[in-house]
Amino acid sequence: MNKHLFIYISTLLFFTVYTTQSVANNNPFWQDLNRNIAVTPYGKKVAISCHNCYIKSSNAGESTQKTIGKIHEAQLLGADMIELDVIEHNGTVRVDHDNTTDEKGAPLDTVLLDPTLKSGDQILFIEIKENSQESDIAHNLLSVLDLRGYGSFKRPVFIRAFNDRRHHLKRVNELLNDKFSHLRPYIKLSELFGNQEANSIKGLQDKILAAKNSGFHGVEFEYRSKNIYSFISYAKSLNLLVSTYTIPKIFGEVYIAAMREDVDVMTVDYDLDKARKVISDNNGLLLAQWYNQRADGDTLLYKKNSIDGYNISVNSPSAIPFDGIPYVEYLGLGEDRYGTSVVFRATEQDAITFYDADNNPGEGYFLATVVNFDHLDLPDGETSSLISKTDNGGFGLELHNPPGISTTVLRFAVRVNSKYYYASYPVTNLNDTDAYHIIGAYDGNGQVHLWINNIHVAQNGEWLKGGVVQNNSPILVGADPQGSKNKRFFSSTKIPFIYIQKWKDH
């Protein structure tokens, strides 16, 4: 079958179940909240959860005191959600990470009585850690929440559990349809998935669908999960709230900036006040979320530095693609990407020209994208440009095979002062099957960095000080700009989204 005819037929099948132009930017859960949740430059609300917002000490009284103190600190620093892990012991729900039989964890009932917590507007983000199949922690937990006035219009609650404890969530759901039906509008259920479950794309997507069919409201993914955007985009297509965990202190600003337009909740070890600032920082230069747009037209939308949308030309699957204009494809379940991607072909010199998006003087650039590579190995001395503004200035993400060296590298480049500096990573560690979440960043005072799947993989060896050199060339995808019109170094890739930001020292 002709490749493009196959894409067209696949797209028709896709639109029998996926008919909106794009998934809603904000989950409806946030609409009626009193809480002033941080908003990105493009209007996306993202809640910040204080990870393990409790302390277990030598006895229950001391644990309670220290836990309440940590919660107060999180409230002052701007946490939107308070994460508390709970287990049950002898009928008492305790705040505890481990399923132990001791009674050292703070009683949840006592914690919820705290006046400062009760008078606040933070959302409880409660994770059931109890692993006993016989325990009715679901009933006891709902009883405590109901008694203390949580699970109400003013104080909604998330109850969460990992996939291997989802039976507790199902029990909560049953009780919300029965004895605790008055709490149902204000209690949301969320299922967590670990890295190991991401090894099977279709397997995890099936579990995401099972969460939806079970009446759950959200799903949560480990931030380094392989092919994570295949899961994020599928969950968003089901209108599930999407959360990621646990953003670390080191490079936390990078992971938050890279995912702030795609998820609804981030659980962080990173500084809470700084996390809110990264989310709301008005530094957007380009946002192209193609994965949640229709794949049957001849245009796709992108945004510059505001919520206004702009069109780019693409070939619809029903058209015969012609030179210079990339085409779109839709991928369904079981694939490394879910939804719409733009396909670039070096042989046809496909490219998209955006606009001359300069960084602030003295600062740098931040780039986040997802890429499936069609060709990783290049001939000796050749360069293949994925996303670029490199024209005696700017930045670029590219494949390059240095002359005389047999290994092609993926590299993020910036021009500082009079030369380019690179963070490079050998493509021998990559493949043409998976979709890689790639981040490149330089902030004007430090080193050039490269991340793959939210794992730091490379940096240049020299500490730099100085902003990325500005130029008058546009950002190109699929090629490298030479002035305002000419192009070179064409690439063959499939890309579902691109974010570009002005980047400063955090």
Side-chain angles (χ1 to χ4, degrees):
M1 181 185 293
N2 178 276
K3 174 176 67 174
H4 305 301
L5 177 60
F6 172 76
I7 294 170
Y8 174 59
I9 293 171
S10 298
T11 303
L12 289 178
L13 292 173
F14 164 57
F15 281 109
T16 63
V17 295
Y18 190 74
T19 58
T20 59
Q21 171 65 26
S22 66
V23 177
N25 196 34
N26 283 315
N27 193 290
F29 179 70
W30 301 142
Q31 293 177 3
D32 297 325
L33 287 179
N34 295 324
R35 178 75 191 165
N36 183 25
I37 292 173
V39 181
T40 73
Y42 300 101
K44 179 79 168 64
K45 291 184 178 181
V46 185
I48 293 295
S49 171
C50 171
H51 180 226
N52 287 351
C53 208
Y54 58 91
I55 296 174
K56 183 179 179 181
S57 192
S58 58
N59 59 73
E62 191 172 294
S63 296
T64 301
Q65 182 181 12
K66 291 183 177 180
T67 292
I68 290 174
K70 186 168 184 177
I71 291 172
H72 290 175
E73 181 183 14
Q75 289 179 287
L76 288 173
L77 291 174
D80 301 302
M81 295 178 141
I82 304 298
E83 185 190 59
L84 300 172
D85 296 333
V86 297
I87 63 167
E88 181 188 38
H89 184 55
N90 292 332
T92 299
V93 179
R94 294 187 179 273
V95 180
D96 199 332
H97 187 275
D98 300 312
N99 202 76
T100 59
T101 57
D102 64 48
E103 298 181 352
K104 296 178 182 179
L108 180 65
D109 180 68
T110 307
V111 172
L112 297 186
L113 277 172
D114 175 66
T116 303
L117 176 60
K118 286 182 70 69
S119 63
D121 58 5
Q122 284 76 23
I123 304 160
L124 293 183
F125 210 45
I126 296 178
E127 181 183 339
I128 298 177
K129 290 288 190 179
E130 179 64 49
N131 59 18
S132 170
Q133 293 281 344
E134 291 74 28
S135 170
D136 200 5
I137 189 173
H139 183 277
N140 292 341
L141 175 58
L142 289 175
S143 296
V144 172
L145 292 172
D146 192 23
L147 178 65
R148 299 308 174 199
Y150 295 83
S152 63
F153 176 75
K154 291 186 177 181
R155 297 308 294 271
V157 175
F158 264 85
I159 298 178
R160 314 149 61 231
F162 271 91
N163 175 254
D164 61 354
R165 293 169 173 83
R166 74 187 312 267
H167 56 281
H168 292 307
L169 294 181
K170 293 181 71 175
R171 174 62 175 156
V172 170
N173 209 24
E174 291 173 1
L175 292 168
L176 291 174
N177 287 328
D178 188 17
K179 180 179 179 179
F180 296 95
S181 59
H182 57 289
L183 300 182
R184 171 161 288 284
Y186 315 113
I187 291 185
K188 308 299 178 182
L189 307 179
S190 183
E191 187 169 359
L192 294 92
F193 302 100
N195 277 332
Q196 69 282 0
E197 286 151 317
N199 290 327
S200 171
I201 296 175
K202 181 61 163 56
L204 182 46
Q205 287 172 333
D206 286 344
K207 291 177 180 178
I208 294 169
L209 181 59
K212 175 71 174 182
N213 291 338
S214 296
F216 302 166
H217 305 87
V219 287
E220 307 182 36
F221 309 111
E222 212 275 348
Y223 77 106
R224 296 164 297 185
S225 295
K226 184 179 177 182
N227 294 307
I228 189 171
Y229 272 83
S230 186
F231 310 127
I232 289 175
S233 55
Y234 180 55
K236 287 166 73 75
S237 77
L238 298 175
N239 203 31
L240 288 168
L241 183 139
V242 178
S243 175
T244 187
Y245 69 93
T246 299
I247 304 300
K249 290 185 71 70
I250 298 176
F251 295 132
E253 72 278 11
V254 171
Y255 310 126
I256 293 170
M259 305 182 77
R260 68 184 185 180
E261 300 297 337
D262 300 295
V263 302
D264 303 292
V265 180
M266 292 187 184
T267 298
V268 304
D269 283 329
Y270 186 69
D271 296 341
L272 294 166
D273 53 345
K274 291 181 180 179
R276 288 183 66 88
K277 291 177 182 178
V278 173
I279 288 172
S280 59
D281 191 6
N282 189 20
N283 62 347
L285 287 172
L286 189 145
L287 171 63
Q289 282 177 307
W290 293 324
Y291 64 81
N292 61 5
Q293 297 183 39
R294 295 183 68 111
D296 60 346
D298 57 6
T299 61
L300 291 174
L301 293 174
Y302 76 97
K303 298 175 182 179
K304 295 182 181 179
N305 53 3
S306 70
I307 60 175
D308 296 327
Y310 300 83
N311 287 327
I312 58 166
S313 296
V314 292
N315 280 306
S316 70
S318 60
I320 298 175
F322 56 89
D323 293 353
I325 298 180
Y327 67 90
V328 294
E329 71 171 2
Y330 163 76
L331 294 180
L333 296 176
E335 301 288 348
D336 61 304
R337 290 153 289 126
Y338 181 86
T340 298
S341 296
V342 179
V343 181
F344 298 87
R345 303 155 298 165
T347 56
E348 306 301 320
Q349 297 190 348
D350 292 338
I352 292 174
T353 302
F354 288 109
Y355 75 109
D356 180 11
D358 281 319
N359 56 307
N360 288 330
E363 297 178 0
Y365 277 102
F366 179 96
L367 166 68
T369 186
V370 164
V371 178
N372 173 283
F373 295 95
D374 279 347
H375 301 290
L376 281 165
D377 291 325
L378 299 180
D380 187 68
E382 288 200 6
T383 299
S384 173
S385 184
L386 283 67
I387 303 167
S388 181
K389 199 182 186 297
T390 48
D391 186 7
N392 293 316
F395 71 93
L397 180 67
E398 58 192 24
L399 296 172
H400 177 67
N401 191 339
I405 300 176
S406 60
T407 301
T408 299
V409 297
L410 173 70
R411 66 186 190 181
F412 180 69
V414 293
R415 188 177 181 94
V416 179
N417 299 319
S418 61
K419 62 180 290 188
Y420 282 103
Y421 296 88
Y422 306 93
S424 302
Y425 185 71
V427 301
T428 50
N429 297 317
L430 306 177
N431 61 57
D432 58 4
T433 302
D434 292 311
Y436 294 98
H437 185 207
I438 300 170
I439 304 169
Y442 167 71
D443 62 17
N445 182 22
Q447 293 172 292
V448 186
H449 296 273
L450 180 68
W451 292 261
I452 298 178
N453 293 342
N454 283 331
I455 298 171
H456 186 249
V457 297
Q459 63 192 52
N460 74 304
E462 182 180 350
W463 190 275
L464 308 176
K465 188 170 181 59
V468 174
V469 176
Q470 296 181 345
N471 60 27
N472 294 319
S473 294
I475 294 173
L476 290 186
V477 183
D480 178 69
Q482 296 293 287
S484 60
K485 295 182 179 179
N486 295 326
K487 308 175 184 69
R488 65 175 183 174
F489 298 160
F490 295 93
S491 62
S492 296
T493 59
K494 305 179 185 75
I495 298 178
F497 82 79
I498 302 167
Y499 305 154
I500 299 171
Q501 302 170 20
K502 294 177 285 188
W503 198 240
K504 62 185 179 182
D505 187 358
H506 289 76

